[in-house]
Amino acid sequence: MTGRDMLVVNDLHKIYDDGTHAVKGLSFTLKQGEIYGLIGPNGAGKSTTLRMIATLIKPTRGSIYLNGVDVVKEPLKARKMIGYLPEEAEVYPRLTGREHLLFYARLYGIENIEETVEYGAEISGLGDKLDKKAGEYSKGMKRRLLLALVLMRSPQLAILDEPTSGLDVYASVRVRRIIKEYVSKTGHSVILSSHNMLEVEYLCDRVSFIINGKIITTGSPSELKARYNALNLEEAFVKAVEEHG
Amino acid sequence: MSFTRDLGVLLWKELLDLYRDRRTLFTSILLPLISLPLIGFMGIALVEQQPVLVAVVDLDNTTARNQLLNITVSSRWLAGNTTRILEKFGYNVTISHSIDIVKNPDIDVALIIPKGFSRNASSLNNTARVKVLRRAGVQAAVRAESTIYSIINVFSRNISDAKLNAVIRLLGLNATIPALRNPVTARTEVVGISGQPVSRAIVLRNAFARILVLAFSFVVTPAASYVIDGIIGERERKTIELLLASPTTPQRIIYAKLVAATLLGLITALADIIGLVVYMVSVSIVSGVPFGVIIDPLLLILHSITAFFTILSTISIALPFITRTRGIRSASNIVSLVTIVALVFFFTGFFVDYIRLPSEILIPLYLIPFTHSILVIQGYVLGYVSRALIHLAVLSIASIALLIIASKTINTEKLLIAPL
């Protein structure tokens, strides 16, 4: 179900002011309608990579093109095509869920605001609780609301950093279902990072293992399992890490 | 998207959040509302409540009569009247004839009337000397000491009048007592810049203006705190990243926060003015000067506009530092440095007429925006209206320029990953 290349990342580097070389020459492409996963240990450079694609951090070197738009040179233009959910995002506790949807719909300059907010409400599945202050929500409800904020305006690329981090099993399942339905309904693309191999196996069409800022291997979950002669993706990841020192 | 539309949407969120943040609103309004009346009323009330123990030690305990002058002086009269007057003012007074009483550590002030007092006071060639002992470090004892000096002065003057009367009578002089006792006198007349005498109401209004300068101190701090919370707090509460990823610029996000902070500052300024008005109403009642004469509506409007730009320049100076700090604590420490500079200016503005400072001092001070805040109020009150308006214009231009310069230093990455 995948199409043309919509995201092209080439020789991406990030060196922070303190000298940390977080990302070392990452290159990959993401096709339309594809869910692509970045897997790696903490500090591997996943979040930095996602933040660079989301235009929040400037690469030290390399390029990122989204539907032909240079993300580094035209960040505001790129942002209109992007929906980004940070790993540790939170809600405004004194605003209701509906006010969150309304605020972000207005901020993105969406014309049919009511329709968008209703779609966001549907994605979140919060029902009547949408009119309660978000500070009263559980962690799972907050994550669903944040995901709705990102997806309600149907961005061509959704960047999801650890979308189910810290959630219980039921909340995680609901979030995964939302992501899967989003891609199948809209035909848009998702790039995500995760520590949860089951999640990655369930969601992703293609996966890259990333260690110390470098991609060590890429493939579909079944290809990676076959490549490393592993029963599951977790085992494939451990073997890949061992193989690459 | 257009600047105004973006700003409108961001401001809607900021103000909705602020409106529901009752604790911030409550403290921002309550603090200035009660500060000045509280300082005034509490100061007076607590000073009145301080117990001060006074000892009147009459070691002389005699009455002496000067036959030639036909006058009688009694140490008992002085001790008795001093006691009565001090008690009337609320002091606890003990009369004694022994010096040992001053060894009592509870005694704050002692009036010692020495032996030979009545004889010396009634004589033509001696001076009677009393001694006042005041306990070091007891602030309220200063007031009791001052009251005792007033009583002694009146007592001395009465004896002097009696003596001079007797001398005039004995020598058959064509003289008056004031001419003999005070051959030279001085009188002060308070005048305005036109040289015309000004009323007591104008003097009170000027005093009110000095308090208005001091009142700027109460508005810059809550506004600066709000900006810190709006930027660093949003990062710590993990809400800023989603916002920064939206198709608006970090400058617009910050502008919205600054506008919200300035509005909060104006609410604070309004509460501050209400507090001041309450204070001045009490001054008006005590002084008997009509309230409407003391309070100048134009001065209040000028104060509000000046407060707005003072807040804006304060937070603009602090902004580049706020955006580069990791936590609320370090941001607060840095902002404290800026607000302390502001407080130093506003505190000195309470005592110092900046408008009278020599140009070699004043011109370098023009580089600091707070100088202009002070000069707007002081200039207006002293009658230099055009100068006041020029300083307001300079302040407004400087604050907007500072804001533009500060916004140039902001970028998304720095906001997200603070280097300090």
Side-chain angles (χ1 to χ4, degrees):
Chain A
M1 293 290 285
T2 55
R4 62 182 174 84
D5 288 348
M6 71 155 338
L7 178 72
V8 181
V9 175
N10 188 34
D11 192 28
L12 200 63
H13 286 262
K14 179 63 191 180
I15 305 168
Y16 285 111
D17 291 346
D18 65 359
T20 308
H21 200 158
V23 176
K24 300 167 185 167
L26 242 63
S27 298
F28 60 87
T29 55
L30 176 60
K31 293 187 184 302
Q32 182 147 10
E34 189 180 31
I35 303 181
Y36 175 70
L38 281 175
I39 298 177
N42 290 332
K46 304 184 300 291
S47 293
T48 301
T49 305
L50 296 185
R51 278 175 164 178
M52 284 192 281
I53 299 167
T55 74
L56 294 173
I57 294 178
K58 275 197 173 174
T60 310
R61 204 166 72 227
S63 64
I64 306 165
Y65 284 90
L66 177 61
N67 283 333
V69 173
D70 188 333
V71 165
V72 181
K73 285 184 181 159
E74 295 181 278
L76 297 184
K77 197 171 174 184
R79 280 179 199 179
K80 290 189 175 176
M81 295 187 274
I82 293 171
Y84 170 61
L85 178 65
E87 182 187 354
E88 292 188 314
E90 261 295 339
V91 294
Y92 296 105
R94 285 183 284 270
L95 267 58
T96 66
R98 194 175 296 280
E99 284 162 352
H100 275 84
L101 297 170
L102 196 61
F103 170 58
Y104 274 97
R106 284 177 178 167
L107 197 59
Y108 276 86
I110 290 164
E111 283 177 10
N112 47 349
I113 286 180
E114 272 184 35
E115 208 174 287
T116 306
V117 168
E118 279 316 304
Y119 180 48
E122 190 189 320
I123 294 172
S124 73
L126 287 169
D128 294 344
K129 295 198 171 68
L130 207 60
D131 292 311
K132 287 198 180 298
K133 284 184 185 163
E136 298 168 17
Y137 291 0
S138 68
K139 203 167 180 184
M141 288 160 75
K142 284 178 186 171
R143 204 65 181 164
R144 270 152 54 204
L145 173 64
L146 290 164
L147 200 57
L149 295 178
V150 171
L151 302 181
M152 67 177 172
R153 56 189 178 81
S154 300
Q156 293 176 50
L157 175 66
I159 303 167
L160 310 176
D161 195 358
E162 305 276 357
T164 59
S165 169
L167 300 187
D168 62 31
V169 176
Y170 290 106
S172 299
V173 167
R174 292 187 78 162
V175 167
R176 277 177 217 139
R177 204 173 289 156
I178 292 169
I179 298 167
K180 201 82 172 170
E181 279 176 11
Y182 175 74
V183 174
S184 64
K185 270 185 187 174
T186 61
H188 293 326
S189 310
V190 172
I191 177 169
L192 60 87
S193 75
S194 180
H195 287 291
N196 187 330
M197 300 297 171
L198 277 174
E199 176 173 290
V200 172
E201 208 165 340
Y202 169 72
L203 285 174
C204 296
D205 301 306
R206 215 152 46 90
V207 175
S208 286
F209 291 163
I210 175 170
I211 297 167
N212 293 328
K214 288 179 183 169
I215 289 176
I216 56 169
T217 188
T218 303
S220 69
S222 53
E223 281 170 355
L224 290 172
K225 281 190 282 185
R227 192 175 302 162
Y228 291 98
N229 194 22
L231 291 171
N232 52 47
L233 205 56
E234 194 170 65
E235 195 183 334
F237 177 69
V238 171
K239 283 184 175 175
V241 171
E242 283 169 355
E243 192 177 291
H244 289 81
Chain B
M1 279 214 294
S2 78
F3 175 79
T4 47
R5 220 193 67 84
D6 259 18
L7 201 64
V9 175
L10 290 161
L11 199 56
W12 172 79
K13 189 271 288 178
E14 290 294 334
L15 295 180
L16 188 63
D17 198 33
L18 177 62
Y19 172 70
R20 291 192 184 146
D21 185 0
R22 298 295 158 93
R23 197 181 300 168
T24 299
L25 275 181
F26 183 69
T27 49
S28 301
I29 293 170
L30 195 69
L31 179 75
L33 192 65
I34 64 168
S35 297
L36 280 173
L38 208 61
I39 290 167
F41 296 133
M42 287 277 285
I44 294 164
L46 290 180
V47 165
E48 296 288 336
Q49 292 304 312
Q50 285 181 104
V52 179
L53 195 59
V54 183
V56 176
V57 186
D58 184 3
L59 299 174
D60 189 35
N61 198 21
T62 62
T63 301
R65 180 165 176 75
N66 186 318
Q67 295 295 344
L68 179 66
L69 299 175
N70 192 26
I71 61 165
T72 303
V73 176
S74 169
S75 68
R76 286 190 284 267
W77 188 92
L78 175 63
N81 275 290
T82 304
T83 303
R84 262 195 303 282
I85 293 166
L86 286 170
E87 282 177 342
K88 204 174 159 188
F89 278 101
Y91 298 105
N92 299 318
V93 188
T94 305
I95 292 190
S96 171
H97 298 292
S98 166
I99 195 70
D100 288 345
I101 196 166
V102 299
K103 291 175 185 166
N104 179 353
D106 293 335
I107 299 292
D108 299 309
V109 183
L111 169 66
I112 318 286
I113 305 171
K115 279 189 183 301
F117 169 83
S118 301
R119 190 184 63 242
N120 287 336
S122 59
S123 77
L124 265 174
N125 50 7
N126 277 321
T127 306
R129 295 177 197 279
V130 296
K131 192 190 271 185
V132 179
L133 303 178
R134 175 166 55 82
R135 189 81 58 199
V138 181
Q139 189 57 33
V142 176
R143 284 183 68 227
E145 180 197 15
S146 165
T147 309
I148 290 170
Y149 267 96
S150 300
I151 297 165
I152 298 293
N153 283 339
V154 171
F155 186 72
S156 175
R157 190 184 158 127
N158 287 342
I159 296 171
S160 166
D161 283 359
K163 282 181 176 180
L164 286 170
N165 253 330
V167 170
I168 291 167
R169 179 170 40 79
L170 286 170
L171 296 176
L173 298 173
N174 181 18
T176 62
I177 293 170
L180 289 175
R181 199 181 45 225
N182 299 315
V184 180
T185 61
R187 189 171 71 92
T188 302
E189 201 168 72
V190 182
V191 295
I193 53 168
S194 63
Q196 293 299 310
V198 293
S199 64
R200 185 147 176 259
I202 299 295
V203 175
L204 277 173
R205 201 189 75 176
N206 292 2
F208 177 55
R210 286 187 184 279
I211 301 172
L212 280 181
V213 168
L214 190 63
F216 286 137
S217 319
F218 299 115
V219 300
V220 290
T221 313
S225 302
Y226 182 82
V227 173
I228 293 171
D229 186 69
I231 298 169
I232 310 297
E234 192 147 343
R235 183 163 62 209
E236 287 192 347
R237 289 189 292 272
K238 305 179 196 325
T239 49
I240 204 162
E241 198 168 352
L242 199 64
L243 195 57
L244 288 169
S246 68
T248 187
T249 63
Q251 281 78 16
R252 290 177 189 184
I253 294 171
I254 300 294
Y255 286 152
K257 289 186 185 299
L258 295 190
V259 173
T262 310
L263 287 174
L264 180 71
L266 278 180
I267 293 170
T268 309
L270 193 69
D272 187 38
I273 286 172
I274 294 169
L276 274 173
V277 168
V278 169
Y279 184 69
M280 292 313 290
V281 166
S282 62
V283 170
S284 156
I285 292 165
V286 171
S287 64
V289 175
F291 168 71
V293 179
I294 303 173
I295 309 293
D296 177 353
L298 208 58
L299 179 60
L300 296 183
I301 292 167
L302 209 57
H303 176 263
S304 298
I305 298 168
T306 310
F308 176 87
F309 287 113
T310 304
I311 295 164
L312 201 60
S313 50
T314 308
I315 50 189
S316 299
I317 293 168
L319 193 61
F321 305 105
I322 295 175
T323 53
R324 280 165 171 72
T325 50
R326 277 218 177 104
I328 285 185
R329 192 183 295 171
S330 51
S332 300
N333 288 340
I334 289 168
V335 170
S336 292
L337 293 175
V338 181
T339 49
I340 282 170
V341 172
L343 297 189
V344 166
F345 271 78
F346 300 139
F347 193 71
T348 54
F350 183 67
F351 301 105
V352 179
D353 285 329
Y354 271 61
I355 209 158
R356 298 278 183 215
L357 287 174
S359 56
E360 62 267 28
I361 295 173
L362 193 58
I363 289 169
L365 289 178
Y366 281 163
L367 293 172
I368 314 287
F370 311 126
T371 306
H372 300 283
S373 309
I374 296 167
L375 288 171
V376 171
I377 302 298
Q378 288 189 348
Y380 176 80
V381 164
L382 291 173
Y384 303 107
V385 179
S386 54
R387 274 179 75 178
L389 293 176
I390 289 169
H391 286 295
L392 182 59
V394 172
L395 177 68
S396 56
I397 292 165
S399 57
I400 291 166
L402 282 169
L403 181 62
I404 292 167
I405 293 165
S407 70
K408 300 276 182 204
T409 68
I410 299 164
N411 72 57
T412 307
E413 191 169 331
K414 290 276 187 288
L415 276 175
L416 207 57
I417 308 158
L420 296 175

